[in-house]
Amino acid sequence: MRISYILLLGFAFFIKTVAMAQENRAIERGNMVHTQLLARGIKDPSTIEAMQQVPRHKFVPKKNMRQAYNDSALPIGNGQTISQPYIVAFMTETLNLSPADNVLEIGTGSGYQAAVLAKIVDSVYTIEIIKELAYSAKNRLDTLGYDNVTVKWGDGYHGWPEKAPFDAIMVTAGAEEVPEPLIRQLKNGGRMVIPVDDSHGGTYLIKFTKTDGKLKKDILEPVRFVPFTRDKRSH
């Protein structure tokens, strides 16, 4: 009887500890939203709500969990990073998303950006060239219940023709040029946000809007991203 009582107490303590940890993480996310996003001009309600809801700490390695809500990018292995929260929010807001949108992401990473998009739109298709990251992101997103995200291991340069056209495309790696297949797969009226290298060694975040088959280009701000990786066999 005494053993059962001790086990019950232990279980109750465990449940309380988990609840407190979840509450603390929610507070951290709230602080992140207020100090890193709202304070820097992020205004889109759907973006703010998604950033408040998605548990960023579950998309970073365990050793980096304490830094999950810091104002910085974090390593996720294989030479890749999870972007700074502000950049995730800024790129998301820039796409002017609607609930019924069909969105393509190039560069899944740990799956965090895809999860943020999934909170806003109907369907997200995301491509990751690094096999280990692609499969771990798929498992993570499935476990967390993001059933409107589809992950593919492959070369994102070619996009995903079978799922096109897309209302919006987001590229999360610095490209030397805008991939022509992605332009073709963008709907009329669609938006793309992509970091592009310039001739002086810098990288700028650029928004393209497709209207009547033509692209309107808006240069947004300088950024830092890992390079756009290609599968050499597919060139």
Side-chain angles (χ1 to χ4, degrees), residues 42-89:
I42 300 297
K43 297 181 176 67
D44 176 52
S46 60
T47 298
I48 293 166
E49 181 65 20
M51 296 292 290
Q52 178 68 63
Q53 289 182 2
V54 177
R56 182 178 165 89
H57 63 281
K58 294 186 178 181
F59 290 86
V60 301
K62 288 185 178 180
K63 64 180 181 180
N64 297 121
M65 274 192 172
R66 290 188 177 183
Q67 291 81 45
Y69 297 100
N70 287 3
D71 186 17
S72 61
L74 291 170
I76 57 172
N78 298 93
Q80 304 300 300
T81 61
I82 180 174
S83 294
Q84 174 191 17
Y86 169 74
I87 291 297
V88 172

Side-chain angles (χ1 to χ4, degrees), residues 10 22 67 101-102 108 130 142 209 231:
Q22 290 176 340
Q67 291 81 45
D101 280 352
N102 183 39
T108 313
I130 299 173
D142 288 346
T209 305
D231 182 349

